[in-house]
Amino acid sequence: MTVNVVSIAIDKVQVFLYYAIHAQEQELQSNNNTLKSIISSSRMISDDFYRKVGLDGEKGVFSGFISEILLQCSGSCVFTTTLREEEIREKLGELFQWYYVNFGGKLLMKYECFQKDITSENDRLEAVKESKSRIRQKECMNKIIEEHKELLFQFRKTEKSLYFYDNSEYHAFVKNINKLCPDTEDVNANHFRIAVIKADLDGMGNIFKNISDYRIYDSVSKILSETINLDALEKEAEKLQEKNPDFKIYPLYLAGDDIMFAVPVSHLQNGVDLCKILLNNINDKLEKLEWNDKLSISLGIDISFNREPIRYYFERVQNELDTAKKMKLTFESEVNESVAKLCLGGYTFYDSACKIADGDDAGYLSWPNFIKTVHTLNLLIVKNSRHIISFMVC
């Protein structure tokens, strides 16, 4: 049966979330409302997006007109509808204008609609992949610009607030970045070191491209949405806090397969563990789908001060992440566990029980060995600081 396929995606999600956290003036980072703004900004490209489109609830633009949801993941969706093309484009135009106006031009929505004969699961998979392909093409954005040129080329007053407050309570997260200050350590509460961690699953674009089964494609998308979000982050953070009550975490954003948060520098390892736990949760769920390959994760780590402007450590941690993602590891035996690649201060590490093969990979450092060495050195400094300092000076 021939149906109209509609594809919608929020464009430049990371740019928007960066703007949302950067829009907070530096002196307001200590304000308890900053966590609410970050939470609500993340929700705008997930739950609220689904409601606004009409995938959830009864007040969305397409509510009552969606025949089948083919894909629903953070910041994007694909569905079929019996509406005529002119009706579809009218509703899509309404959605585009709402996002553009309410977010002062900082949030763009890309969309496409086309006809396709869908009678099997293979047809559904082809529809999803074609939707993603169409939205990435320049012709898609050119058409949107043509349809909304009067709106796009007007000078607009930037709204002071680009988010809507979310009333959700997350007890595992500190209210603002200054509250990351450790309670049990002798540090200056107004000026202390934090570790900013930015994580990203490796190769997800190619993975989705190579999936040939619609049910697997849909299941993987749902697994990612269920595992990488604020609720899942809080759940795992609470488990770590039960073992280590001093562990604190301040989320910056979660979107798609991207994670970014800050922890006290003394709890850097807990932050790395948190990312690995999320990765293990994803791999455990994928294993039930008879997924053969383990996903890996890349982490960028930046050591900063709590008073430093967000834009500084945002750019630095992204550079560290980009370096980590370039790592290509070859292991001596088959990888049967999750692998994390890390970059800190320009140095690359790998975190896996599997031993890497000799050759080009041999220069990479083992993260567990590095942490063990640092821990040992710290113990020596505490026990006999004079001798260690003298030794280091000599």
Side-chain angles (χ1 to χ4, degrees), residues 105-355:
K106 298 298 185 297
L107 195 60
L108 291 177
M109 192 192 84
K110 297 174 71 173
Y111 56 83
E112 262 291 6
C113 67
F114 58 94
Q115 288 191 330
K116 186 171 181 61
D117 186 29
I118 297 181
T119 57
S120 66
E121 290 191 348
N122 186 56
D123 293 334
R124 292 182 176 88
L125 180 59
E126 289 181 359
V128 170
K129 290 190 174 183
E130 183 177 348
S131 296
K132 289 192 171 184
S133 176
R134 282 173 174 257
I135 271 188
R136 285 194 294 265
Q137 295 173 7
K138 291 182 180 179
E139 289 78 4
C140 172
M141 199 66 225
N142 290 341
K143 193 172 184 179
I144 291 173
I145 291 173
E146 178 63 28
E147 291 177 353
H148 302 282
K149 57 186 176 184
E150 292 185 5
L151 174 67
L152 292 172
F153 294 106
Q154 288 179 0
F155 286 104
R156 303 198 61 80
K157 180 180 179 181
T158 302
E159 299 293 333
K160 189 173 183 180
S161 174
L162 297 180
Y163 53 82
F164 300 96
Y165 277 127
D166 189 290
N167 293 322
S168 303
E169 290 292 333
Y170 290 92
H171 302 290
F173 305 149
V174 296
K175 298 296 184 182
N176 59 69
I177 204 164
N178 290 342
K179 291 188 180 297
L180 287 175
C181 183
D183 297 325
T184 57
E185 298 177 27
D186 184 18
V187 296
N188 185 345
N190 294 317
H191 192 70
F192 59 93
R193 291 188 181 275
I194 61 173
V196 180
I197 301 174
K198 193 171 190 294
D200 185 17
L201 294 175
D202 295 319
M204 290 309 302
N206 288 331
I207 289 173
F208 277 114
K209 185 178 180 180
N210 294 325
I211 295 177
S212 58
D213 187 315
Y214 170 72
R215 286 178 295 179
I216 297 294
Y217 196 106
D218 184 54
S219 297
V220 172
S221 298
K222 288 179 179 176
I223 286 172
L224 292 179
S225 297
E226 292 169 356
T227 311
I228 302 182
N229 56 55
L230 287 167
D231 295 330
L233 183 70
E234 185 195 38
K235 180 180 177 181
E236 299 303 338
E238 284 181 331
K239 292 179 182 178
L240 287 176
Q241 288 167 348
E242 289 176 2
K243 300 177 182 178
N244 190 343
D246 297 329
F247 174 54
K248 299 180 180 181
I249 177 173
Y250 181 66
L252 288 164
Y253 72 74
L254 282 85
D257 58 350
D258 295 312
I259 306 166
M260 185 175 177
F261 57 84
V263 296
V265 72
S266 56
H267 289 278
L268 169 58
Q269 184 57 46
N270 292 123
V272 172
D273 289 341
L274 186 55
C275 294
K276 290 166 56 182
I277 290 169
L278 293 177
L279 175 64
N280 287 329
N281 290 345
I282 293 173
N283 280 327
D284 288 344
K285 293 177 181 178
L286 290 177
E287 189 175 358
K288 296 178 181 178
L289 297 177
E290 298 182 355
W291 188 274
N292 296 324
D293 299 323
K294 293 282 187 180
L295 296 185
S296 62
I297 194 169
S298 293
L299 282 72
I301 303 170
D302 180 64
I303 307 301
S304 179
F305 284 102
N306 62 309
R307 293 289 182 179
E308 194 167 8
I310 289 174
R311 65 182 180 276
Y312 291 174
Y313 55 72
F314 185 95
E315 294 168 1
R316 290 199 304 261
V317 76
Q318 182 62 52
N319 290 335
E320 301 282 8
L321 176 60
D322 291 341
T323 301
K325 291 187 74 68
K326 292 177 182 177
M327 292 176 64
K328 294 182 180 179
L329 299 173
T330 303
F331 293 92
E332 289 185 347
S333 58
E334 183 178 351
V335 177
N336 54 10
E337 65 157 27
S338 300
V339 176
K341 303 181 298 179
L342 308 93
C343 184
L344 169 62
Y347 290 94
T348 51
F349 303 86
Y350 72 95
D351 191 351
S352 172
C354 301
K355 187 177 180 181

